[in-house]
Amino acid sequence: MDSKNTESISLTTLQRLPNYLRYLKTCEQQGIVYISSVMIAKGMDLTPMVVKKDLAVAVITEGKPKLGYCVESLIYDIEKFLGYDNTKDAVIVGVGKLGHALMAYEGFSNYGLNIMIGFDANVTTSEVNGKKILPMNKFVDLVKRLNIHIGIITVPKENAQEIADLMVSAGVRAIWNWAPIKLEVPNNIAVKQEDLAASLAVLSNRLKELMKKE
Amino acid sequence: MDSKNTESISLTTLQRLPNYLRYLKTCEQQGIVYISSVMIAKGMDLTPMVVKKDLAVAVITEGKPKLGYCVESLIYDIEKFLGYDNTKDAVIVGVGKLGHALMAYEGFSNYGLNIMIGFDANVTTSEVNGKKILPMNKFVDLVKRLNIHIGIITVPKENAQEIADLMVSAGVRAIWNWAPIKLEVPNNIAVKQEDLAASLAVLSNRLKELMKKE
DNA sequence: TAGATTGTTAATCGATTAACAATC
DNA sequence: TAGATTGTTAATCGATTAACAATC
């Protein structure tokens, strides 16, 4: 069916797609109906070539020479490609300050993610934003029963591996790990490491380069 | 002096460096004195070649054939390279749940970052972990006076650009932006965008690939 | 000495950039 | 029709991988 995306999309393109979406939606709101790769590139600090290449792999919509791409169709296609059209349920383990922040963040609904329930070893609050917080002993049963495939880990690094194991045993297939530790999981489980140390390394390196120039 | 790092280091290598550090410290704690690129690669899911190349650009320490690299020297060199040896002060603007979590996170001290003060339009708490939270009208003066060069933005996206402008006017040179919006700043200012939508796109794409295989 | 491991040089791979024919 | 823009094919660039001589 999907003759496209048979071979997997490049990581860089994939990471840019949500940004296209964000930009195109602001264009749509301004009443722009057709947009060229040149315009998109200008608005997003890319080159037109990157835009054309990215769209070519992620989108069915074809651009019209001289006119550009239909904004509405692009939005539709990209949302479809990213799976934003059918929201995926997730659970989060570790409702400390960070976990709390992620649970409360409204923006994830725009990304097709619904954090349904929070779990914590020490439950201190019963709800965040109308979402229940439950003790760990309910975890495996509930995740299995609700058939939830995405787990978010925001526990201290000492406990992250055991939580990952628990998630895998409960049928979780994709883990978003915020603990600064490399998780060991079976190779049929996807892990995305959120690496703040790497982000900081990039930022402070750029800062150093800037300072050197003066 | 530093004949190395004249030409800038590759982004991928840079992002891996904090992970080397983390791994090497666990080795040190286990009493390992010398370690080979093969061992490091095994412990970190890399290839020995990547390890050797990365170390070659970031480190002064030379490996000894048959023996490997001195763990202690590697740690010293990488910390130096990443600037962890002299801690940098930062301020954060937007002490909602996320900002609160970042302010309270102890781990940043390991990365040479010290979030000194929080600012917020509506101050509800006066302190987080012994760090003051102040109203915005104190921002420019204080940041200038303390000569702070790093700013973290955790305000809603509607306000992120004005906060960035304010930071720039106060002498901030590097911005870590958690709001999902592309900031416009002068080109002598470094910006690191924290892009959760991109992370989620990667994770859910991998999940999709996994599901397809079954 | 023999062999494992480093460090460097060459080959491969993939992504970005350039060039250009097709087309509205 | 003329010209801007798409989509595709080729060239470049940079990072990863392979090969191998040097060396402890």
Side-chain angles (χ1 to χ4, degrees), chain B residues 4 15 57 99 106 126 149 163 166 185 198 209:
Chain B
K4 303 206 176 198
Q15 289 174 318
V57 298
E106 313 272 353
S126 65
H149 293 280
I163 298 299
L166 204 63
V185 296
E209 300 283 320

Side-chain angles (χ1 to χ4, degrees), chain B residues 12-26:
Chain B
T12 47
T13 297
L14 187 56
Q15 289 174 318
R16 280 190 292 263
L17 288 178
N19 295 317
Y20 287 113
L21 209 46
R22 205 141 50 208
Y23 177 70
L24 290 167
K25 281 184 176 170
T26 69

Side-chain angles (χ1 to χ4, degrees), chain A residues 5-6 8-9 11 14-19 22 42-45 80-84 88 97-98 100-102 104-105 108 110-111 113 128-129 149-151 157 173-176 178 180-182 184 187-212 214, chain B residues 5-6 8-9 11 14-19 22 42-45 80-84 88 97-98 100-102 104-105 108 110-111 113 128-129 149-151 157 173-176 178 180-182 184 187-212 214:
Chain A
N5 86 4
T6 301
S8 66
I9 189 173
L11 198 65
L14 187 55
Q15 289 174 319
R16 280 191 291 263
L17 288 178
N19 294 317
R22 206 142 49 209
K42 217 164 262 168
M44 293 180 59
D45 258 356
K80 182 118 189 187
F81 189 96
L82 290 173
Y84 288 2
K88 285 170 285 294
K97 296 203 178 69
L98 177 61
H100 206 281
L102 295 181
Y105 182 54
F108 289 137
N110 297 322
Y111 309 150
L113 186 78
V128 172
N129 268 34
H149 291 151
I150 300 181
K157 62 175 182 295
R173 304 296 307 275
I175 296 176
W176 194 10
W178 288 70
I181 189 179
K182 190 178 139 290
E184 304 287 344
N187 65 7
N188 64 339
I189 305 291
V191 175
K192 176 71 179 95
Q193 183 67 34
E194 201 63 31
D195 193 345
L196 301 191
S199 292
L200 272 176
V202 172
L203 184 65
S204 90
N205 186 262
R206 285 200 207 136
L207 178 60
K208 192 169 63 178
E209 299 282 320
L210 284 174
M211 297 302 221
K212 216 189 292 174
E214 287 167 13
Chain B
N5 88 2
T6 301
S8 66
I9 190 173
L11 197 67
L14 187 56
Q15 289 174 318
R16 280 190 292 263
L17 288 178
N19 295 317
R22 205 141 50 208
K42 217 164 262 168
M44 293 179 58
D45 257 357
K80 182 119 189 187
F81 189 97
L82 290 173
Y84 288 2
K88 285 168 285 292
K97 296 203 177 69
L98 177 60
H100 206 280
L102 295 181
Y105 181 53
F108 289 135
N110 297 323
Y111 309 150
L113 186 78
V128 172
N129 267 33
H149 293 280
I150 300 181
K157 62 175 183 294
R173 304 296 306 275
I175 296 175
W176 193 9
W178 289 70
I181 189 179
K182 189 179 141 290
E184 305 287 344
N187 65 7
N188 63 340
I189 305 290
V191 174
K192 177 71 178 95
Q193 183 67 36
E194 200 62 32
D195 194 344
L196 302 190
S199 293
L200 272 175
V202 172
L203 184 65
S204 91
N205 187 260
R206 287 202 205 132
L207 178 60
K208 193 169 61 179
E209 300 283 320
L210 284 174
M211 297 300 222
K212 218 189 290 175
E214 288 169 12

Side-chain angles (χ1 to χ4, degrees), chain B residues 110-160:
Chain B
N110 297 323
Y111 309 150
L113 186 78
N114 173 38
I115 305 180
M116 251 191 140
I117 315 174
F119 291 90
D120 202 292
N122 301 311
V123 177
T124 53
T125 335
S126 65
E127 285 198 357
V128 172
N129 267 33
K131 295 164 181 179
K132 286 223 168 59
I133 302 180
L134 302 173
M136 290 309 296
N137 59 28
K138 309 252 187 189
F139 183 82
V140 175
D141 263 11
L142 207 49
V143 170
K144 272 187 183 163
R145 184 137 49 85
L146 295 171
N147 200 29
I148 290 174
H149 293 280
I150 300 181
I152 306 172
I153 296 180
T154 46
V155 298
K157 62 175 183 294
E158 291 74 21
N159 310 315

